[in-house]
Amino acid sequence: MDVMWLAGGALEPPAGAALTAPVWHPAGARVRSMEAGAVRAVVAGVCRADDAEVCRVAAEVAAGRTEVIVSMGGSYWMAVHDDRRRRTVVAGDLAERRGVFLARAELGAMWATDASVLARQLGHGPDLELLAAQITVGSAEHWPHRSLWSGVERVPGGFALILDERGARTVDVRPRPDGRTMEQGAEEIGAALWGAVQGYARVAGARVSADLSGGLDSSAVVIAAAEVSRIVAVTHGGPLADAEDERLARDIAAYVGAEHHVSSGGPGSAHFARWPRVTPAAPVLPVASYSLDGDYLPPARGVSALHLTGHGGDVVLESSTAAWTALIQDGQTRRAKQAVRALARRVNTAPGPLWRAVRNGARGRDLAMQRAAEAVAQGQPFGDRLGVWTWCSIGPAAQWLTPYGRRTVAQMLADSGSREGDVHAGAWDDWSALRSNGAALRDGDALSDEHGVHQVAPFLDNEVVRACLTIGASERRQPDRYKPLLALARPELPQWLTGRQSKGHFTPLLYEGLRAHRLELRQVIDTSDLVSCGLIDPAAVHSALDATAAGMGRPPLPALESFLITSWWLARVLAPQTAVGGAR
């Protein structure tokens, strides 16, 4: 089991904490500690480097090459302290599966890998304004240094934290695209992915459990692991599951000779049918799908110490249509037009509106955020909603904000546009999606542990992320091909797998859950802290829930699901506290 938290700096150590080098951690937790002269290092999590390699990297970090702190294979935290320079460098992994957070107090800066540890030190609660903004206008990446806890800063994935006599600051340690094509980078990606999967499988032992959803990512992981271990594969099935996904999962299980369990599914596995007993670190989607996970995961319980997943494959193997906006930013307008025309043919629509949306995005993020802020302030929609990427699309969920909520969120959007400035669309969306996936897995650990499995995600390991993201977004996005990078990276994979052009989804389970449990969910709305603090209008959310249950219109399903999860989570973490970040 992974270390639950690491911490350092000026904080008061939590009860039962032990000190290893410059790092506090739970007593009895397994960490690796190394010392060479004035340099001391601590590594926790999954780091595939041996002690000699860790010492070499620590020495380079102490000498000023901060970027090498994320250069080793695996998914780990590392803290390096140099007594001579009186400097500490801390980083999690590139995907933010291993998070790092910072708080500034009178006694100095303090950091921890669990934001709630710092919040307790400060006596602060959740940031309700940020939670309301995430639900109604989208990604937390608009505020990359703001955590879910008031007064606690987030260190984004791909950044390292430095604490020295100058104070506390973050530095960018992300890999950059180097101009290589998919064909040029494919061999390195294939080797990195297989090495990561099989590294986990060998640690797990002779048998290892794995998700097998029927998609390309989980299927590739199962095939890689089957080369070194016997597989116990689990699949969600039944009348509400995607039939093509289930068929392909059965084919993959037969292909590798896995012990395969397909659940019976049905209404009892629908979203919101049951609530978790434990409280996760943040409002995560597995709260809603708790009954689904409880339906298909039991055969994996106790099989091995680790449970393999394909989580994160979507965001490293492929980019979104932000890549086309990036092409215009890079001066490659002809390629962008060709991609848009190909999409228009595929979805049988006129290319003109699609092209205008992509071209508008290339005018810059700061302008888009200002326009989004104005739309929220005026209670108006903003965004083309044509199936192509935009910096910030303001949809129907923004109508849930009260006048106070609109002013608050509009100001947050405007501040984000001016603070972050213009950035490259492809890189911004790649890293936003990567961090979102890493954080979701991290924050949901308590839920998977309750189901009796400890999930790992080889696609999110440093070596896989690095290999994939050194290929630019516009190269990884092909308008007429679905995840072509996987077939190039592992050409031995069966064509009947890599030739698949789509993946099923869980929307039927969400609809069924919202319909069947509407009365209970109405109570969640009425008692929500986001309502009582004056940010969200409950009548508007009730209308969206009722419309969804009745099958009317096109309600904002992701926002509705997020609101319900967040409200449940707040009720758990705030009772009997007083919320921070909203006007009661």
Side-chain angles (χ1 to χ4, degrees):
M1 196 62 63
D2 287 347
V3 175
M4 291 180 61
W5 54 264
L6 305 175
L11 86 168
E12 181 72 23
L19 181 65
T20 300
V23 172
W24 293 98
H25 55 79
R30 288 184 295 174
V31 299
R32 277 201 285 168
S33 176
M34 277 136 276
E35 187 171 340
V39 178
R40 292 175 289 161
V42 168
V43 175
V46 178
C47 178
R48 298 194 177 92
D50 60 21
D51 289 357
E53 177 72 2
V54 172
C55 285
R56 183 190 66 77
V57 168
E60 290 192 39
V61 171
R65 289 195 62 209
T66 310
E67 68 277 6
V68 302
I69 199 168
V70 291
S71 64
M72 297 179 289
S75 174
Y76 59 87
W77 294 285
M78 186 173 191
V80 178
H81 181 72
D82 185 346
D83 284 332
R84 291 169 300 183
R85 296 179 175 86
R86 288 186 289 181
R87 184 177 77 157
T88 300
V89 181
V90 185
D93 61 356
L94 292 168
E96 213 175 313
R97 169 72 173 93
R98 317 285 178 179
V100 177
F101 302 90
L102 169 69
R104 305 173 194 270
E106 290 184 7
L107 294 178
M110 48 188 179
W111 64 269
T113 61
D114 182 341
S116 67
V117 170
L118 299 180
R120 286 193 294 270
Q121 294 269 326
L122 298 174
H124 289 184
D127 185 339
L128 299 186
E129 293 174 355
L130 180 63
L131 289 166
Q134 284 184 208
I135 292 166
T136 56
V137 301
S139 174
E141 290 303 313
H142 292 312
W143 308 277
H145 297 282
R146 192 165 171 172
S147 85
L148 294 183
W149 296 88
S150 179
V152 178
E153 299 174 34
R154 168 184 160 221
V155 178
F159 282 73
L161 173 65
I162 298 178
L163 301 99
D164 57 18
E165 294 177 335
R166 295 165 52 190
R169 64 190 185 279
T170 58
V171 294
D172 194 338
V173 294
R174 291 175 292 176
R176 296 290 193 274
D178 60 7
R180 72 181 69 180
T181 64
M182 285 197 295
E183 288 77 11
Q184 291 168 333
E187 183 177 355
E188 180 183 349
I189 291 169
L193 177 60
W194 250 235
V197 173
Q198 294 178 356
Y200 284 122
R202 289 189 174 98
V203 168
R207 297 169 78 227
V208 63
S209 65
D211 277 359
L212 183 54
S213 69
L216 269 62
D217 306 331
S218 66
S219 298
V221 167
V222 164
I223 291 171
E227 294 178 3
V228 298
S229 187
R230 288 183 291 132
I231 307 297
V232 178
V234 289
T235 301
H236 174 257
L240 296 176
D242 184 89
E244 180 64 13
D245 280 355
E246 185 177 330
R247 183 196 65 77
L248 192 60
R250 292 183 186 276
D251 289 347
I252 290 294
Y255 179 76
V256 301
E259 176 186 329
H260 191 206
H261 301 267
V262 181
S263 73
S264 57
S269 64
H271 286 38
F272 300 110
R274 286 192 295 145
W275 295 97
R277 294 189 300 272
V278 299
T279 304
V284 288
L285 291 179
V287 169
S289 63
Y290 181 77
S291 51
L292 182 154
D293 295 337
D295 172 64
Y296 87 94
L297 282 172
R301 182 186 289 269
V303 169
S304 56
L306 304 175
H307 179 77
L308 294 167
T309 74
H311 194 84
D314 287 338
V315 301
V316 295
L317 292 176
E318 195 170 39
S319 179
S320 74
T321 55
W324 304 342
T325 298
L327 282 172
I328 302 176
Q329 290 178 314
D330 294 338
Q332 300 185 56
T333 304
R334 178 177 294 181
R335 279 188 62 195
K337 284 184 176 179
Q338 290 172 343
V340 170
R341 290 193 192 103
L343 175 65
R345 288 194 299 271
R346 185 173 181 179
V347 299
N348 193 29
T349 191
L354 299 178
W355 174 245
R356 284 192 293 274
V358 172
R359 188 179 57 193
N360 284 338
R363 296 172 65 188
R365 181 177 181 274
D366 55 348
L367 176 61
M369 297 305 289
Q370 291 300 323
R371 292 183 61 194
E374 292 167 3
V376 169
Q378 297 167 9
Q380 299 295 323
F382 170 69
D384 300 286
R385 294 192 290 280
L386 295 170
V388 294
W389 176 87
T390 59
W391 293 104
C392 183
S393 181
I394 306 301
Q399 305 297 312
W400 301 350
L401 292 165
T402 63
Y404 161 64
R406 288 202 304 272
R407 292 192 302 271
T408 300
V409 173
Q411 187 60 57
M412 290 173 64
L413 291 170
D415 289 345
S416 174
S418 60
R419 182 177 295 112
E420 300 298 322
D422 265 343
V423 291
H424 191 265
W428 189 89
D429 194 60
D430 275 347
W431 283 94
S432 295
L434 178 67
R435 292 166 182 157
S436 176
N437 274 258
L441 196 65
R442 173 195 78 215
D443 292 335
D445 273 344
L447 299 179
S448 59
D449 288 347
E450 185 172 316
H451 290 298
V453 298
H454 184 70
Q455 295 186 336
V456 292
F459 279 106
L460 297 181
D461 280 12
N462 280 351
E463 64 268 43
V464 181
V465 171
R466 183 179 301 278
C468 289
L469 296 193
T470 50
I471 301 174
S474 56
E475 175 68 14
R476 297 190 339 273
R477 180 74 187 191
Q478 302 291 320
D480 294 321
R481 300 164 68 193
Y482 180 59
K483 295 185 184 177
L485 190 49
L486 182 60
L488 291 170
R490 302 302 305 192
E492 73 275 20
L493 291 173
Q495 196 280 329
W496 49 263
L497 169 65
T498 57
R500 189 176 183 188
Q501 294 299 305
S502 64
K503 173 70 172 69
H505 51 78
F506 296 119
T507 304
L509 287 154
L510 177 54
Y511 268 113
E512 172 63 21
L514 293 172
R515 182 197 61 77
H517 304 285
R518 179 172 50 166
L519 293 180
E520 179 186 356
L521 296 176
R522 289 181 70 88
Q523 293 180 340
V524 174
I525 296 169
D526 289 335
T527 59
S528 173
D529 286 276
L530 295 171
V531 169
S532 61
C533 77
L535 288 164
I536 299 288
D537 175 10
V541 188
H542 279 304
S543 295
L545 175 60
D546 292 343
T548 303
M552 297 170 55
R554 299 178 61 185
L557 278 177
L560 182 57
E561 184 178 26
S562 180
F563 175 85
L564 293 166
I565 293 169
T566 301
S567 298
W568 172 88
W569 181 80
L570 284 170
R572 300 286 292 264
V573 300
L574 284 176
Q577 303 174 43
T578 299
V580 173
R584 288 270 184 191

